Amino acid sequence: MSEIDPKIEALVPAWLYLPDISERWGVEVTRVRQMVKDRDLIAVRRGENNALQVPADFIGDEKPVKGLLGTLTVLRDAGFSDAEALEWLFTEDPSLPGTPVQALRENRGTEVKRRAQAMAV
């Protein structure tokens, strides 16, 4: 959990509060909070009330978008901070094309992880 960086704010198009995620998934909000604590999701404090929010593109119908957890693990193993991971996931990559998070949402997680692993070398 971290404060929102203005650069990240400009890259991420939409955010969800933790209670909204828990409602979408049909789980208790404590489960979503635990996922943030376990670093399965990246949450930042933002907005007028400085509440924890997660990029909406990370959230699938019943769980995080397929491939997100593995990608976050690869990025963290490469030494990325949460802010750096967010920046990487939401920055256009012409070779994909689109952003890594768009590729994850389109079930192209293998390509995304391959690029993340290449950065770790």
Side-chain angles (χ1 to χ4, degrees), residues 18-19 21-23 25-38 41:
L18 303 190
I21 297 168
S22 71
E23 186 175 313
W25 289 347
V27 299
E28 295 292 324
V29 72
T30 53
R31 173 71 183 116
V32 179
R33 287 187 190 283
Q34 188 63 46
M35 291 184 79
V36 170
K37 184 178 178 183
D38 292 343
L41 290 172

Side-chain angles (χ1 to χ4, degrees), residues 22 41 47 49 63 97 104 108 114:
S22 71
L41 290 172
N49 58 0
K63 60 186 177 186
L104 288 175
R108 296 186 289 140
R114 192 175 301 128

Side-chain angles (χ1 to χ4, degrees), residues 3-120:
E3 298 292 324
I4 187 71
D5 179 288
K7 188 173 188 177
I8 304 302
E9 185 74 57
L11 287 173
V12 180
W15 299 85
L16 291 171
Y17 292 99
L18 303 190
D20 296 332
I21 297 168
S22 71
E23 186 175 313
R24 180 180 289 187
W25 289 347
V27 299
E28 295 292 324
V29 72
T30 53
R31 173 71 183 116
V32 179
R33 287 187 190 283
Q34 188 63 46
M35 291 184 79
V36 170
K37 184 178 178 183
D38 292 343
R39 303 185 76 199
D40 292 339
L41 290 172
I42 296 175
V44 296
R45 294 202 175 273
R46 61 183 296 277
E48 194 173 294
N49 58 0
N50 206 32
L52 283 175
Q53 295 181 44
V54 173
D57 284 335
F58 286 0
I59 307 304
D61 291 333
E62 299 175 6
K63 60 186 177 186
V65 170
K66 183 179 177 185
L68 177 67
L69 304 180
T71 302
L72 290 176
T73 299
V74 169
L75 292 173
R76 287 184 179 121
D77 288 350
F80 278 55
S81 67
D82 284 355
E84 291 167 333
L86 285 171
E87 183 177 345
W88 186 81
L89 284 162
F90 284 91
T91 298
E92 288 284 327
D93 181 343
S95 70
L96 277 172
T99 66
V101 77
Q102 286 171 329
L104 288 175
R105 294 192 66 79
E106 294 167 0
N107 203 24
R108 296 186 289 140
T110 303
E111 295 175 49
V112 173
K113 272 198 242 171
R114 192 175 301 128
R115 283 167 176 76
Q117 288 169 333
M119 296 175 58

